[in-house]
Amino acid sequence: MVISDAHRLLFVHVQKTGGSTIDNRLDAVLSDTRQVPGIDRHATLGQILAAEPGLAAYWTVGYVRNPWARMLSWFRMVERFKERADRGRRGADAFLKKNHFIKGVADACPDFETFVMKGPDQWTRLRTPQVRYLTSKTRRADFIGRQETLEADLRAVFARLELPWEPLESVNVDKSRPDYREVYTDPMRRRIEEIFAKDIAAFNYSF
């Protein structure tokens, strides 16, 4: 999450939707960015508002992504950290020791099929619809952008906030990731369709 009290802005960071790129840009142009102490940076809107109810009045922004592409991106991130740790990269090894979720997924899901078919049963965050991150019982994000049109949508956010714009420098980009349609079997495709039915309906995504 990123909060700017001066601009009355709340950015809710949904995992694997380009959020790190957005975090970096907001931190670069806003001098007062902060988070809510004591809660995860990927907290849901409901969790954020429970911790700091006054943020309900802030203009709230979040991003979503095609669920099939998002899950592949998530697995590839885990895979990269495991490969780096296995090669003795000190930073990756330290990260895995600290991040029990990533390490647990890396140990339990040796391939993408296992990650899709079994991972969501073991880890709640792998089956949490993106729409849940961006809604609470009384609130919904005011602007929901898409990873697929990240730069254009973020430019619209900056225009709304009257902030200066420069082309994005994306981070955590997996340039070798295959087209997600090439790596799903029919059972895997249906599994994601079932888990993220709310996202597919809310944001009109398709395989």
Side-chain angles (χ1 to χ4, degrees), residues 13-93:
H13 186 163
V14 181
Q15 302 100 319
K16 307 311 298 174
T17 61
S20 294
T21 296
I22 298 168
D23 282 352
N24 289 350
R25 177 52 59 88
L26 291 174
D27 285 341
V29 300
L30 299 174
S31 61
D32 67 331
T33 56
R34 66 177 179 89
Q35 298 187 10
V36 177
I39 65 173
D40 190 272
R41 72 190 189 103
H42 296 302
T44 67
L45 178 58
Q47 292 169 329
I48 294 169
L49 297 184
E52 194 170 329
L55 293 172
Y58 282 28
W59 193 58
T60 300
V61 173
Y63 270 70
V64 294
R65 184 176 190 173
N66 181 298
W68 291 277
R70 179 172 175 256
M71 287 295 278
L72 176 60
S73 176
W74 212 334
F75 176 74
R76 296 272 295 188
M77 180 191 71
V78 172
E79 196 173 43
R80 285 196 303 275
F81 276 114
K82 186 175 187 304
E83 289 175 351
R84 291 170 185 171
D86 289 344
R87 292 199 304 266
R89 294 275 293 274
R90 186 179 302 174
D93 187 59

Coordinates of all heavy atoms in Angstrom, one line a residue, residues 13-93:
H13 N -2.2 -2.4 -2.8 CA -1.3 -3.1 -3.6 C -1.7 -4.6 -3.7 O -1.4 -5.4 -2.7 CB 0.1 -3.0 -3.0 CG 1.2 -3.6 -3.8 ND1 2.5 -3.3 -3.7 CD2 1.2 -4.5 -4.8 CE1 3.3 -4.0 -4.5 NE2 2.5 -4.7 -5.2
V14 N -2.3 -5.0 -4.7 CA -2.7 -6.4 -5.0 C -1.4 -7.1 -5.6 O -0.8 -6.6 -6.5 CB -3.9 -6.5 -5.9 CG1 -4.2 -8.0 -6.2 CG2 -5.1 -5.8 -5.4
Q15 N -1.1 -8.2 -5.1 CA 0.1 -8.9 -5.5 C 0.1 -9.2 -7.0 O -1.0 -9.6 -7.6 CB 0.3 -10.3 -4.8 CG 0.4 -10.2 -3.3 CD -0.9 -10.5 -2.6 OE1 -2.0 -10.1 -3.1 NE2 -0.8 -11.2 -1.5
K16 N 1.2 -9.1 -7.7 CA 1.4 -9.5 -9.1 C 0.5 -8.7 -10.0 O 0.0 -9.3 -11.0 CB 1.3 -11.0 -9.2 CG 2.1 -11.8 -8.3 CD 3.6 -11.4 -8.3 CE 4.3 -11.5 -9.6 NZ 5.6 -11.0 -9.6
T17 N 0.3 -7.5 -9.8 CA -0.4 -6.6 -10.7 C 0.3 -5.4 -11.2 O -0.3 -4.5 -11.7 CB -1.8 -6.2 -10.1 OG1 -1.5 -5.4 -8.9 CG2 -2.6 -7.3 -9.7
G18 N 1.7 -5.4 -11.0 CA 2.5 -4.2 -11.3 C 2.6 -3.3 -10.2 O 3.1 -2.1 -10.4
G19 N 2.3 -3.7 -9.0 CA 2.2 -2.8 -7.8 C 3.6 -2.2 -7.4 O 3.7 -1.1 -7.0
S20 N 4.7 -3.0 -7.6 CA 6.0 -2.5 -7.2 C 6.4 -1.3 -8.1 O 7.0 -0.3 -7.6 CB 7.0 -3.6 -7.3 OG 6.8 -4.6 -6.3
T21 N 6.1 -1.4 -9.4 CA 6.3 -0.3 -10.3 C 5.5 0.9 -9.9 O 6.1 2.1 -9.9 CB 5.9 -0.7 -11.7 OG1 6.8 -1.8 -12.2 CG2 6.1 0.5 -12.7
I22 N 4.3 0.7 -9.5 CA 3.5 1.9 -9.0 C 4.0 2.4 -7.7 O 4.1 3.6 -7.5 CB 2.0 1.4 -8.9 CG1 1.5 1.0 -10.3 CG2 1.1 2.5 -8.3 CD1 0.1 0.2 -10.2
D23 N 4.3 1.5 -6.8 CA 4.9 2.0 -5.5 C 6.1 2.9 -5.7 O 6.2 4.0 -5.2 CB 5.4 0.8 -4.7 CG 4.3 0.0 -4.0 OD1 3.1 0.5 -4.0 OD2 4.5 -1.1 -3.5
N24 N 7.0 2.4 -6.6 CA 8.2 3.2 -6.9 C 7.9 4.6 -7.4 O 8.5 5.6 -7.1 CB 9.1 2.4 -7.8 CG 9.8 1.2 -7.1 OD1 9.7 1.0 -5.9 ND2 10.4 0.4 -7.9
R25 N 7.0 4.6 -8.4 CA 6.7 5.9 -9.0 C 6.0 6.9 -8.0 O 6.3 8.1 -7.9 CB 5.8 5.7 -10.2 CG 5.4 7.0 -10.9 CD 6.5 8.0 -11.2 NE 7.5 7.4 -12.1 CZ 7.4 7.4 -13.4 NH1 6.4 8.0 -14.0 NH2 8.4 6.8 -14.1
L26 N 5.1 6.3 -7.2 CA 4.4 7.2 -6.2 C 5.4 7.7 -5.1 O 5.4 8.9 -4.8 CB 3.3 6.4 -5.5 CG 2.1 6.1 -6.3 CD1 1.1 5.2 -5.6 CD2 1.4 7.4 -6.8
D27 N 6.4 6.8 -4.7 CA 7.4 7.2 -3.8 C 8.3 8.3 -4.4 O 8.8 9.2 -3.6 CB 8.2 6.0 -3.3 CG 7.5 5.1 -2.4 OD1 6.5 5.5 -1.8 OD2 7.9 3.9 -2.3
A28 N 8.5 8.2 -5.7 CA 9.4 9.2 -6.3 C 8.8 10.6 -6.4 O 9.5 11.6 -6.4 CB 9.8 8.7 -7.7
V29 N 7.5 10.7 -6.6 CA 6.9 12.0 -6.8 C 6.1 12.6 -5.6 O 5.8 13.8 -5.6 CB 5.9 11.9 -8.1 CG1 6.6 11.5 -9.3 CG2 4.7 11.0 -7.8
L30 N 5.8 11.7 -4.6 CA 5.1 12.2 -3.5 C 6.1 12.2 -2.3 O 6.8 11.2 -2.0 CB 3.9 11.3 -3.1 CG 2.9 11.2 -4.2 CD1 1.8 10.2 -3.8 CD2 2.2 12.6 -4.4
S31 N 6.2 13.3 -1.6 CA 7.2 13.4 -0.5 C 6.7 12.9 0.9 O 7.5 12.8 1.8 CB 7.5 14.9 -0.3 OG 6.4 15.7 0.0
D32 N 5.4 12.5 0.9 CA 4.9 12.1 2.2 C 4.3 10.7 2.3 O 3.5 10.4 3.1 CB 3.7 13.1 2.6 CG 2.5 13.0 1.7 OD1 2.7 12.6 0.6 OD2 1.4 13.2 2.2
T33 N 4.8 9.8 1.3 CA 4.2 8.5 1.3 C 4.5 7.7 2.6 O 5.5 7.8 3.2 CB 4.8 7.7 0.1 OG1 6.2 7.7 0.2 CG2 4.4 8.3 -1.2
R34 N 3.5 6.9 3.0 CA 3.6 6.1 4.2 C 2.8 4.8 4.0 O 2.0 4.7 3.0 CB 3.2 6.9 5.4 CG 1.7 7.2 5.4 CD 1.3 8.0 6.7 NE -0.1 8.3 6.7 CZ -1.1 7.6 7.2 NH1 -0.8 6.3 7.7 NH2 -2.3 8.0 7.2
Q35 N 2.9 4.0 5.0 CA 2.0 2.8 5.1 C 1.3 2.8 6.5 O 1.7 3.6 7.3 CB 2.8 1.5 4.9 CG 3.5 1.4 3.6 CD 4.1 0.0 3.4 OE1 3.9 -0.9 4.1 NE2 4.9 -0.1 2.3
V36 N 0.4 1.9 6.7 CA -0.2 1.8 8.0 C 0.7 0.8 8.8 O 0.9 -0.3 8.4 CB -1.6 1.2 7.9 CG1 -2.2 0.9 9.3 CG2 -2.6 2.1 7.1
P37 N 1.2 1.3 9.9 CA 2.1 0.4 10.7 C 1.5 -0.9 11.1 O 0.3 -0.9 11.5 CB 2.5 1.3 11.9 CG 2.2 2.7 11.4 CD 1.0 2.6 10.5
G38 N 2.2 -1.9 11.1 CA 1.8 -3.2 11.7 C 0.9 -4.1 10.8 O 0.5 -5.2 11.2
I39 N 0.6 -3.7 9.5 CA -0.1 -4.5 8.7 C 0.7 -4.7 7.4 O 1.5 -3.9 7.0 CB -1.5 -4.0 8.4 CG1 -1.5 -2.7 7.6 CG2 -2.3 -3.9 9.6 CD1 -2.9 -2.3 7.1
D40 N 0.4 -5.8 6.7 CA 1.1 -6.2 5.5 C 0.9 -5.2 4.4 O -0.1 -4.6 4.2 CB 0.6 -7.6 5.0 CG 1.5 -8.2 3.9 OD1 1.2 -7.9 2.8 OD2 2.4 -9.0 4.3
R41 N 2.0 -5.0 3.6 CA 1.9 -4.1 2.5 C 0.9 -4.5 1.4 O 0.5 -3.7 0.6 CB 3.2 -3.8 1.8 CG 3.8 -5.0 1.0 CD 5.3 -4.7 0.7 NE 5.8 -5.7 -0.3 CZ 6.0 -5.4 -1.6 NH1 5.7 -4.2 -2.1 NH2 6.5 -6.3 -2.4
H42 N 0.5 -5.8 1.4 CA -0.5 -6.3 0.5 C -1.9 -6.5 1.2 O -2.7 -7.4 0.8 CB -0.1 -7.7 -0.1 CG 1.2 -7.6 -0.9 ND1 1.2 -6.8 -2.0 CD2 2.3 -8.2 -0.8 CE1 2.4 -6.9 -2.6 NE2 3.1 -7.8 -1.9
A43 N -2.1 -5.7 2.2 CA -3.4 -5.9 3.0 C -4.6 -5.5 2.1 O -4.4 -4.7 1.2 CB -3.3 -4.9 4.2
T44 N -5.7 -6.1 2.4 CA -6.9 -5.8 1.7 C -7.4 -4.4 2.1 O -7.0 -3.9 3.2 CB -8.0 -6.8 2.0 OG1 -8.4 -6.7 3.4 CG2 -7.5 -8.2 1.7
L45 N -8.3 -3.8 1.3 CA -8.9 -2.6 1.7 C -9.6 -2.7 3.1 O -9.5 -1.8 3.9 CB -9.9 -2.1 0.6 CG -10.6 -0.8 0.9 CD1 -9.7 0.4 1.1 CD2 -11.6 -0.5 -0.3
G46 N -10.3 -3.8 3.3 CA -11.0 -4.0 4.6 C -10.0 -4.0 5.7 O -10.3 -3.4 6.8
Q47 N -8.9 -4.6 5.6 CA -7.9 -4.7 6.7 C -7.3 -3.3 6.9 O -7.1 -2.9 8.0 CB -6.8 -5.7 6.3 CG -7.2 -7.1 6.3 CD -6.2 -8.0 5.7 OE1 -5.5 -7.7 4.8 NE2 -6.2 -9.3 6.2
I48 N -7.1 -2.6 5.8 CA -6.5 -1.2 6.0 C -7.5 -0.3 6.7 O -7.1 0.4 7.6 CB -6.1 -0.6 4.6 CG1 -5.0 -1.5 3.9 CG2 -5.8 0.8 4.7 CD1 -4.8 -1.1 2.4
L49 N -8.7 -0.3 6.3 CA -9.7 0.6 6.9 C -10.0 0.2 8.4 O -10.3 1.0 9.2 CB -11.0 0.6 6.1 CG -10.9 1.1 4.7 CD1 -12.2 1.2 4.0 CD2 -10.2 2.5 4.7
A50 N -9.9 -1.1 8.7 CA -10.1 -1.5 10.1 C -9.0 -1.0 10.9 O -9.2 -0.6 12.1 CB -10.1 -3.1 10.1
A51 N -7.8 -0.9 10.4 CA -6.6 -0.4 11.1 C -6.6 1.1 11.2 O -6.2 1.7 12.2 CB -5.3 -0.9 10.5
E52 N -7.1 1.8 10.1 CA -7.1 3.3 10.1 C -8.4 3.7 9.4 O -8.4 4.0 8.2 CB -5.9 3.8 9.3 CG -5.7 5.3 9.5 CD -4.3 5.7 9.0 OE1 -3.3 5.0 9.0 OE2 -4.2 6.9 8.6
P53 N -9.5 3.8 10.1 CA -10.8 4.1 9.5 C -10.9 5.4 8.7 O -11.6 5.5 7.8 CB -11.8 4.1 10.7 CG -11.1 3.3 11.7 CD -9.6 3.5 11.5
G54 N -10.1 6.4 9.1 CA -10.1 7.7 8.4 C -9.7 7.6 7.0 O -10.1 8.5 6.2
L55 N -9.0 6.5 6.5 CA -8.6 6.4 5.1 C -9.8 6.1 4.2 O -9.7 6.2 3.0 CB -7.6 5.3 5.0 CG -6.2 5.6 5.7 CD1 -5.4 4.3 5.6 CD2 -5.5 6.7 5.0
A56 N -11.0 5.8 4.8 CA -12.2 5.6 4.0 C -12.5 6.8 3.1 O -13.2 6.7 2.1 CB -13.3 5.2 4.9
A57 N -12.1 8.0 3.6 CA -12.4 9.2 2.9 C -11.4 9.5 1.8 O -11.6 10.4 1.0 CB -12.5 10.4 3.9
Y58 N -10.3 8.7 1.7 CA -9.3 9.0 0.7 C -9.7 8.4 -0.7 O -10.4 7.4 -0.7 CB -8.0 8.4 1.1 CG -7.2 9.2 2.2 CD1 -7.9 10.0 3.1 CD2 -5.8 9.1 2.3 CE1 -7.2 10.7 4.0 CE2 -5.2 9.8 3.3 CZ -5.9 10.7 4.1 OH -5.2 11.4 5.1
W59 N -9.2 9.0 -1.7 CA -9.4 8.5 -3.1 C -8.6 7.2 -3.2 O -7.3 7.2 -3.0 CB -9.0 9.5 -4.1 CG -9.4 9.1 -5.5 CD1 -10.7 8.9 -5.9 CD2 -8.6 8.9 -6.7 NE1 -10.7 8.6 -7.3 CE2 -9.4 8.6 -7.8 CE3 -7.2 9.0 -6.9 CZ2 -9.0 8.4 -9.0 CZ3 -6.7 8.8 -8.2 CH2 -7.6 8.4 -9.2
T60 N -9.2 6.1 -3.5 CA -8.6 4.8 -3.4 C -8.4 4.2 -4.8 O -9.3 4.1 -5.6 CB -9.5 3.8 -2.5 OG1 -9.6 4.4 -1.2 CG2 -8.8 2.5 -2.4
V61 N -7.2 3.7 -5.0 CA -6.7 3.1 -6.3 C -6.2 1.7 -6.1 O -5.5 1.4 -5.1 CB -5.6 4.0 -6.9 CG1 -5.1 3.4 -8.2 CG2 -6.2 5.4 -7.1
G62 N -6.5 0.9 -7.0 CA -5.9 -0.5 -7.0 C -5.8 -1.0 -8.5 O -6.4 -0.4 -9.4
Y63 N -5.1 -2.1 -8.6 CA -4.9 -2.7 -9.9 C -5.3 -4.2 -9.9 O -5.1 -4.8 -8.9 CB -3.5 -2.5 -10.4 CG -3.2 -1.3 -11.2 CD1 -3.2 0.0 -10.6 CD2 -3.0 -1.3 -12.6 CE1 -3.0 1.1 -11.3 CE2 -2.7 -0.1 -13.3 CZ -2.7 1.1 -12.6 OH -2.5 2.2 -13.3
V64 N -5.7 -4.7 -11.0 CA -6.0 -6.1 -11.2 C -5.3 -6.6 -12.4 O -4.8 -5.9 -13.2 CB -7.6 -6.4 -11.2 CG1 -8.2 -6.0 -9.9 CG2 -8.2 -5.6 -12.4
R65 N -5.4 -8.0 -12.6 CA -4.7 -8.6 -13.7 C -5.5 -9.9 -14.1 O -6.1 -10.5 -13.2 CB -3.3 -9.0 -13.3 CG -2.4 -9.6 -14.4 CD -1.0 -9.8 -13.8 NE -0.1 -10.1 -14.9 CZ 1.2 -10.2 -14.6 NH1 1.7 -10.0 -13.4 NH2 2.0 -10.5 -15.6
N66 N -5.4 -10.2 -15.4 CA -6.0 -11.5 -15.8 C -5.5 -12.6 -14.9 O -4.4 -12.8 -14.7 CB -5.5 -11.8 -17.2 CG -6.1 -13.1 -17.8 OD1 -5.8 -14.2 -17.3 ND2 -6.8 -13.0 -18.9
P67 N -6.5 -13.3 -14.2 CA -6.1 -14.3 -13.2 C -5.2 -15.4 -13.7 O -4.3 -15.9 -13.0 CB -7.5 -14.9 -12.8 CG -8.5 -13.9 -13.1 CD -7.9 -13.2 -14.4
W68 N -5.4 -15.9 -15.0 CA -4.5 -16.9 -15.5 C -3.0 -16.4 -15.6 O -2.1 -17.1 -15.3 CB -5.0 -17.5 -16.8 CG -6.3 -18.2 -16.7 CD1 -6.4 -19.5 -16.4 CD2 -7.6 -17.7 -16.9 NE1 -7.8 -19.9 -16.3 CE2 -8.5 -18.8 -16.7 CE3 -8.1 -16.5 -17.2 CZ2 -9.9 -18.6 -16.8 CZ3 -9.5 -16.3 -17.4 CH2 -10.4 -17.4 -17.1
A69 N -2.9 -15.2 -16.2 CA -1.6 -14.6 -16.3 C -1.0 -14.3 -14.9 O 0.2 -14.5 -14.7 CB -1.7 -13.4 -17.2
R70 N -1.8 -13.9 -14.0 CA -1.3 -13.5 -12.7 C -0.7 -14.7 -12.0 O 0.3 -14.6 -11.3 CB -2.5 -12.9 -11.9 CG -2.1 -12.5 -10.5 CD -3.3 -11.7 -9.9 NE -3.0 -11.4 -8.5 CZ -3.6 -12.0 -7.4 NH1 -4.5 -13.0 -7.7 NH2 -3.3 -11.6 -6.2
M71 N -1.4 -15.8 -12.0 CA -0.9 -17.0 -11.3 C 0.4 -17.5 -11.9 O 1.3 -17.9 -11.2 CB -2.0 -18.1 -11.4 CG -3.1 -17.8 -10.4 SD -2.7 -17.8 -8.7 CE -2.7 -19.6 -8.3
L72 N 0.5 -17.4 -13.3 CA 1.8 -17.8 -13.9 C 2.9 -16.8 -13.4 O 4.0 -17.3 -13.1 CB 1.7 -17.8 -15.4 CG 3.0 -18.1 -16.1 CD1 3.5 -19.4 -15.8 CD2 2.8 -17.9 -17.7
S73 N 2.6 -15.6 -13.4 CA 3.6 -14.6 -12.9 C 4.0 -14.9 -11.5 O 5.2 -14.8 -11.1 CB 3.1 -13.2 -13.1 OG 4.0 -12.2 -12.6
W74 N 3.1 -15.2 -10.7 CA 3.4 -15.5 -9.3 C 4.3 -16.7 -9.1 O 5.3 -16.7 -8.4 CB 2.0 -15.8 -8.5 CG 2.0 -15.4 -7.1 CD1 3.1 -15.2 -6.3 CD2 0.9 -15.0 -6.3 NE1 2.7 -14.8 -5.0 CE2 1.3 -14.6 -5.0 CE3 -0.5 -14.9 -6.6 CZ2 0.5 -14.2 -4.0 CZ3 -1.3 -14.5 -5.6 CH2 -0.9 -14.1 -4.3
F75 N 4.0 -17.8 -9.9 CA 4.8 -19.0 -9.8 C 6.2 -18.7 -10.3 O 7.2 -19.2 -9.7 CB 4.2 -20.1 -10.6 CG 5.1 -21.3 -10.6 CD1 5.2 -22.1 -9.5 CD2 5.8 -21.7 -11.8 CE1 6.0 -23.3 -9.5 CE2 6.6 -22.8 -11.8 CZ 6.7 -23.6 -10.7
R76 N 6.3 -17.9 -11.4 CA 7.6 -17.6 -11.9 C 8.5 -16.8 -11.0 O 9.7 -17.0 -10.9 CB 7.5 -16.9 -13.2 CG 6.7 -17.6 -14.3 CD 7.7 -18.4 -15.2 NE 8.6 -17.6 -15.9 CZ 9.4 -18.0 -16.9 NH1 9.4 -19.3 -17.2 NH2 10.2 -17.2 -17.5
M77 N 7.8 -16.0 -10.2 CA 8.6 -15.2 -9.2 C 9.1 -16.2 -8.1 O 10.3 -16.1 -7.7 CB 7.7 -14.2 -8.5 CG 8.4 -13.4 -7.4 SD 7.2 -12.4 -6.4 CE 6.4 -13.7 -5.5
V78 N 8.3 -17.1 -7.6 CA 8.8 -18.1 -6.6 C 9.9 -18.9 -7.2 O 10.9 -19.1 -6.5 CB 7.6 -19.0 -6.2 CG1 8.1 -20.1 -5.3 CG2 6.5 -18.2 -5.5
E79 N 9.7 -19.3 -8.4 CA 10.7 -20.1 -9.1 C 12.1 -19.4 -9.2 O 13.1 -20.0 -9.0 CB 10.2 -20.5 -10.5 CG 10.9 -21.6 -11.2 CD 10.2 -22.0 -12.5 OE1 9.8 -21.1 -13.2 OE2 10.1 -23.2 -12.7
R80 N 12.0 -18.1 -9.5 CA 13.3 -17.3 -9.6 C 14.0 -17.2 -8.3 O 15.2 -17.4 -8.3 CB 13.0 -15.9 -10.2 CG 12.6 -15.8 -11.6 CD 12.7 -14.4 -12.1 NE 11.9 -13.5 -11.4 CZ 10.6 -13.2 -11.7 NH1 10.0 -13.9 -12.6 NH2 9.9 -12.4 -11.0
F81 N 13.3 -17.0 -7.2 CA 13.9 -16.9 -5.9 C 14.5 -18.2 -5.6 O 15.7 -18.3 -5.0 CB 12.9 -16.5 -4.9 CG 12.8 -15.0 -4.8 CD1 11.6 -14.4 -5.1 CD2 13.8 -14.2 -4.4 CE1 11.4 -13.0 -5.0 CE2 13.7 -12.8 -4.3 CZ 12.5 -12.2 -4.6
K82 N 13.8 -19.3 -5.8 CA 14.4 -20.7 -5.5 C 15.6 -21.0 -6.3 O 16.6 -21.5 -5.8 CB 13.3 -21.7 -5.7 CG 13.8 -23.1 -5.2 CD 12.6 -24.1 -5.4 CE 13.0 -25.5 -4.8 NZ 14.3 -26.0 -5.3
E83 N 15.6 -20.7 -7.6 CA 16.8 -20.9 -8.4 C 18.0 -20.1 -8.0 O 19.1 -20.6 -7.9 CB 16.4 -20.6 -9.9 CG 15.5 -21.6 -10.5 CD 15.0 -21.2 -11.9 OE1 15.4 -20.0 -12.3 OE2 14.4 -22.0 -12.6
R84 N 17.7 -18.8 -7.6 CA 18.8 -18.0 -7.2 C 19.4 -18.5 -5.8 O 20.6 -18.5 -5.6 CB 18.3 -16.6 -7.0 CG 18.0 -15.9 -8.3 CD 17.3 -14.6 -8.1 NE 16.9 -14.0 -9.4 CZ 16.1 -12.9 -9.5 NH1 15.7 -12.3 -8.4 NH2 15.8 -12.4 -10.7
A85 N 18.5 -18.9 -4.9 CA 19.0 -19.5 -3.7 C 19.8 -20.7 -3.9 O 20.8 -21.0 -3.2 CB 17.8 -19.7 -2.7
D86 N 19.3 -21.6 -4.8 CA 20.0 -22.8 -5.1 C 21.4 -22.6 -5.6 O 22.3 -23.4 -5.5 CB 19.2 -23.7 -6.0 CG 17.9 -24.3 -5.4 OD1 17.8 -24.3 -4.1 OD2 17.0 -24.7 -6.1
R87 N 21.5 -21.5 -6.3 CA 22.8 -21.1 -6.9 C 23.7 -20.4 -5.9 O 24.9 -20.1 -6.2 CB 22.7 -20.2 -8.1 CG 22.0 -20.9 -9.3 CD 22.3 -20.1 -10.6 NE 21.9 -18.8 -10.5 CZ 20.7 -18.3 -10.9 NH1 19.8 -19.1 -11.4 NH2 20.4 -17.0 -10.9
G88 N 23.2 -20.2 -4.7 CA 24.0 -19.6 -3.6 C 24.0 -18.1 -3.6 O 24.9 -17.5 -2.9
R89 N 23.0 -17.5 -4.3 CA 22.9 -16.1 -4.2 C 22.5 -15.7 -2.8 O 21.4 -16.0 -2.3 CB 21.9 -15.6 -5.2 CG 22.3 -15.8 -6.7 CD 23.1 -14.7 -7.2 NE 22.4 -13.5 -7.3 CZ 21.6 -13.1 -8.3 NH1 21.5 -13.9 -9.4 NH2 21.0 -12.0 -8.4
R90 N 23.3 -14.9 -2.1 CA 23.1 -14.6 -0.7 C 21.8 -13.9 -0.5 O 21.0 -14.2 0.5 CB 24.3 -13.8 -0.2 CG 24.2 -13.6 1.3 CD 25.4 -12.8 1.8 NE 26.7 -13.4 1.5 CZ 27.9 -12.9 1.6 NH1 28.0 -11.7 2.1 NH2 28.9 -13.6 1.3
G91 N 21.5 -12.9 -1.3 CA 20.3 -12.1 -1.1 C 19.0 -13.0 -1.2 O 18.1 -12.8 -0.5
A92 N 19.0 -13.9 -2.2 CA 17.8 -14.7 -2.4 C 17.7 -15.7 -1.3 O 16.6 -16.0 -0.8 CB 18.0 -15.5 -3.8
D93 N 18.8 -16.3 -0.8 CA 18.7 -17.2 0.3 C 18.2 -16.5 1.6 O 17.4 -17.1 2.3 CB 20.1 -17.8 0.5 CG 20.1 -18.9 1.6 OD1 19.4 -19.9 1.3 OD2 20.8 -18.8 2.6

